[in-house]
Amino acid sequence: MKLLLFTCIGCCFMISQLSFSQNTNEVIEPEVAGNRVIDLLEGGTLDAWKVPSTNWKIQNESIIGSTGEEKLEIPEWLYTKQRFRDFEFTCEMRLSGDRRRNTGIYYRVHPFLFKSQNGKKSYMAPSGYEFDAAFHHPDGKNFRGTLGDWYARPSLRIFPDKDIINKAYKTDEWNRMTLRAHGNRLEYWINGFKVMDYTDTDPKASQEGIIGFQIHDGSVMTVEYRNIRVLPL
């Protein structure tokens, strides 16, 4: 076992990292298969989801979230109706739009009324984890594959190895995003590459909730999600 320093916004974390080569089970992406798997696009409908607006639709067996030709004033989330605690989840995601395009997979979510720091905006936002799929961030940081709880615990931001992300992530193409949430241990894969293995010991860590996808404010963008499956553990 070796120690790895992860940085986050305004702080840093020193956690232990398992040497994946010593145990293949630590690195293999879950298949998310079997008779207990829930297909979140079963029947080619949005029946499994709480649809917030006409910005979301089904097309070509994919969920599509689009801002249209104008930027949103506040971000928007599409959430599952069902809640999940421990589970494996997988989907394929494709993100297009301007240089500020941004989306993420949110899980163990409890929506709450969020107020921006300048007090100009307030809206229902997710308290819970995010598997960030952002392509670009205004401050120049690469947030792809990061783990965070931006709205409720903004100090929590765990960055993966950027070399692995650059190898795994395919810009403007379909990317398979897989995660496992088991107790306080959270693991992410992108296109079969393991990019995150983090244990959250914070007493405020979310233990269960809904799953969601995001379209972001401040961008003209479209995100597509397909082959969306979850396996409760």
Side-chain angles (χ1 to χ4, degrees):
M1 183 175 290
K2 62 182 179 180
L3 291 178
L4 181 65
L5 181 65
F6 284 92
T7 59
C8 75
I9 298 174
C11 57
C12 65
F13 295 86
M14 183 75 76
I15 68 171
S16 60
Q17 182 192 42
L18 293 169
S19 178
F20 299 144
S21 61
Q22 295 178 6
N23 185 346
T24 56
N25 290 330
E26 292 296 336
V27 71
I28 296 175
E29 177 187 16
E31 293 185 8
V32 194
N35 56 17
R36 295 179 55 246
V37 164
I38 299 169
D39 181 355
L40 291 175
L41 272 182
E42 186 174 9
T45 72
L46 288 170
D47 289 350
W49 303 83
K50 293 180 283 187
V51 183
S53 75
T54 56
N55 292 326
W56 300 89
K57 64 181 180 180
I58 293 285
Q59 184 175 312
N60 298 327
E61 299 183 341
S62 300
I63 290 177
I64 297 178
S66 177
T67 63
E69 297 181 358
E70 298 184 3
K71 301 175 182 178
L72 299 182
E73 293 186 1
I74 60 173
E76 193 171 278
W77 289 267
L78 177 82
Y79 291 124
T80 59
K81 295 177 180 177
Q82 187 171 346
R83 306 179 72 86
F84 300 93
R85 180 176 291 272
D86 291 348
F87 62 90
E88 294 172 347
F89 173 93
T90 192
C91 69
E92 293 176 336
M93 181 277 304
R94 183 165 64 181
L95 178 62
S96 59
D98 62 29
R99 294 192 70 238
R100 297 174 68 93
R101 60 192 184 271
N102 192 350
T103 189
I105 302 165
Y106 289 74
Y107 59 100
R108 291 182 173 175
V109 165
H110 296 259
F112 75 108
L113 183 62
F114 170 79
K115 295 184 179 180
S116 61
Q117 292 182 349
N118 59 21
K120 293 182 178 180
K121 294 181 182 180
S122 62
Y123 49 88
M124 296 303 293
S127 169
Y129 297 106
E130 179 187 10
F131 183 170
D132 204 319
F135 169 68
H136 178 79
H137 194 270
D139 65 9
K141 289 185 178 180
N142 183 350
F143 277 51
R144 292 175 294 183
T146 61
L147 182 155
D149 186 358
W150 175 249
Y151 295 93
R153 291 186 291 158
S155 64
L156 178 65
R157 178 64 65 174
I158 309 301
F159 286 84
D161 186 311
K162 64 179 181 180
D163 291 334
I164 296 177
I165 289 294
N166 290 337
K167 181 185 295 185
Y169 192 93
K170 301 175 182 178
T171 303
D172 297 323
E173 298 182 31
W174 287 102
N175 289 276
R176 188 173 67 255
M177 319 286 284
T178 301
L179 72 90
R180 178 191 290 128
H182 192 201
N184 289 335
R185 186 179 182 186
L186 310 167
E187 302 168 88
Y188 297 172
W189 289 260
I190 297 178
N191 296 321
F193 289 88
K194 190 165 190 179
V195 300
M196 180 64 60
D197 193 335
Y198 179 69
T199 299
D200 188 359
T201 59
D202 189 331
K204 297 179 181 179
S206 182
Q207 297 297 317
E208 61 83 33
I210 50 183
I211 296 172
F213 300 139
Q214 180 195 49
I215 47 178
H216 215 283
D217 57 328
S219 171
V220 174
M221 58 159 286
T222 297
V223 65
E224 303 165 80
Y225 286 96
R226 69 184 185 188
N227 296 327
I228 309 164
R229 303 188 303 276
V230 60
L231 173 64
L233 299 177

